[in-house]
Amino acid sequence: MNKLVFLPLALLLLLTVSAMASSKVEAVHEQASKAIAIEAKAQRLYRNWTDIKERKADEIREMKATEDWLKFQEKKYNRYIQKQEEVIAELIRRKEEAKRINMELEPFLDTIVDQLESFVKADLPFLSEERERRIHFLQNSLDDYHLELSEKLRRVFEALLIETEYGQNVSTTTQELEINGIKTQASIFRLGRTALFYQTTDGLEIGIWDKKSGSWKTLNPTYSHALRRAKDMADRKRAVELLELPLGATK
């Protein structure tokens, strides 16, 4: 009887111990599971933080590169601006200079044309109508309000160039002259601006323009041959050679 009572008690104690052990195992397992979950979460957070850190580092490097590029561009554009300011300042200076030149040039051109007119009147009497027309054309050009100043300048320079060339070449023309009060058809030979000769069509009479008296003066007929050769050279009918002609000497 006592043995039978002991057996259930022992079995009950064993079951109680087994239940307690099982409860502890479950608690440990639960704690371990929680620790593993916490570690896994920490690992995920660490990886996320590492990814974010790398992205931020890339962004910082990109922003640093952009900052360096912007600083370079700022220096570059500052030099561009400085250069453009210098160009603008030079353009302003030129504009003011051009304005000043325009203010001085227009009256200067009028003076030049007036002097040219006086010069032509005092010069040897050759191509008189042509030269007077040129002077008249220049005067009308300078009085034309709608004509650009540059074109006025070009026309005056062109006229001066033509007048300059007269002093560097020779020419022959035929015209009617009044010699000793008689109208006579004659051939005119111009030696630059040095002298102006005439020879009648029959070749018997020759003369030279006398600046002092403002009239034609006859020359010794011995110069007729030399004058004829000079006219042939001017007309390119013979080769150039040295000739002896009087310059201002009258009969």
Side-chain angles (χ1 to χ4, degrees):
M1 183 65 179
N2 293 332
K3 291 181 180 179
L4 293 173
V5 172
F6 178 77
L7 182 60
L9 290 173
L11 182 59
L12 179 60
L13 180 61
L14 180 62
L15 291 172
T16 301
V17 171
S18 297
M20 292 176 63
S22 176
S23 176
K24 289 182 178 180
V25 169
E26 289 179 358
V28 171
H29 183 269
E30 183 179 355
Q31 290 178 356
S33 297
K34 288 181 178 180
I36 292 171
I38 292 172
E39 180 66 19
K41 183 178 180 180
Q43 289 291 332
R44 288 196 302 274
L45 291 174
Y46 177 77
R47 286 194 298 270
N48 290 338
W49 179 83
T50 302
D51 293 342
I52 293 172
K53 179 182 177 181
E54 291 179 354
R55 288 198 300 272
K56 294 299 181 182
D58 291 340
E59 290 177 0
I60 290 173
R61 284 192 294 269
E62 184 177 354
M63 291 174 67
K64 185 67 171 62
T66 302
E67 182 184 14
D68 293 339
W69 183 82
L70 289 174
K71 287 182 178 179
F72 168 78
Q73 289 297 319
E74 182 182 12
K75 292 180 180 179
K76 197 76 171 177
Y77 280 112
N78 284 337
R79 291 197 294 269
Y80 289 157
I81 291 172
Q82 182 180 359
K83 186 66 176 177
Q84 289 303 312
E85 288 176 348
E86 292 174 358
V87 171
I88 291 172
E90 177 63 16
L91 290 175
I92 292 174
R93 187 194 67 78
R94 291 184 180 181
K95 181 180 179 181
E96 293 300 320
E97 182 70 12
K99 182 179 179 181
R100 183 187 64 80
I101 290 175
N102 287 345
M103 292 176 63
E104 296 177 357
L105 183 58
E106 194 159 11
F108 174 74
L109 292 179
D110 278 73
T111 302
I112 289 296
V113 172
D114 290 342
Q115 292 177 350
L116 184 60
E117 182 180 20
S118 299
F119 176 79
V120 170
K121 290 179 179 178
D123 197 16
L124 298 176
F126 64 91
L127 302 176
S128 299
E129 293 182 1
E130 176 183 330
R131 298 167 78 189
E132 287 174 3
R133 283 197 304 269
R134 187 178 298 113
I135 296 296
H136 186 65
F137 172 73
L138 290 178
Q139 291 171 338
N140 288 337
S141 297
L142 295 181
D143 292 338
D144 187 350
Y145 175 79
H146 300 287
L147 192 65
E148 293 290 338
L149 184 59
S150 58
E151 177 61 19
K152 295 178 180 179
L153 179 63
R154 187 195 68 78
R155 293 181 182 183
V156 172
F157 275 0
E158 184 179 16
L160 292 175
L161 179 60
I162 293 173
E163 288 292 333
T164 300
E165 290 176 349
Y166 287 149
Q168 300 172 355
N169 57 31
V170 295
S171 67
T172 58
T173 56
T174 300
Q175 66 184 79
E176 189 178 67
L177 302 179
E178 186 172 336
I179 303 173
N180 298 324
I182 302 175
K183 291 185 177 181
T184 306
Q185 195 72 15
S187 175
I188 307 298
F189 171 70
R190 178 178 58 83
L191 181 60
R193 278 198 169 87
T194 305
L196 197 63
F197 301 92
Y198 78 87
Q199 186 172 30
T200 56
T201 53
D202 56 13
L204 298 179
E205 184 179 339
I206 64 172
I208 188 172
W209 177 260
D210 183 33
K211 289 186 177 181
K212 291 182 179 181
S213 64
S215 61
W216 294 99
K217 301 295 183 180
T218 58
L219 289 174
N220 193 311
T222 56
Y223 292 112
S224 296
H225 183 62
L227 183 58
R228 188 177 297 109
R229 285 187 295 171
K231 290 190 296 180
D232 288 342
M233 283 187 285
D235 294 334
R236 299 185 179 182
K237 295 179 180 179
R238 65 184 302 146
V240 177
E241 59 181 287
L242 291 176
L243 296 175
E244 183 179 349
L245 285 172
L247 299 180
T250 61
K251 182 178 177 180

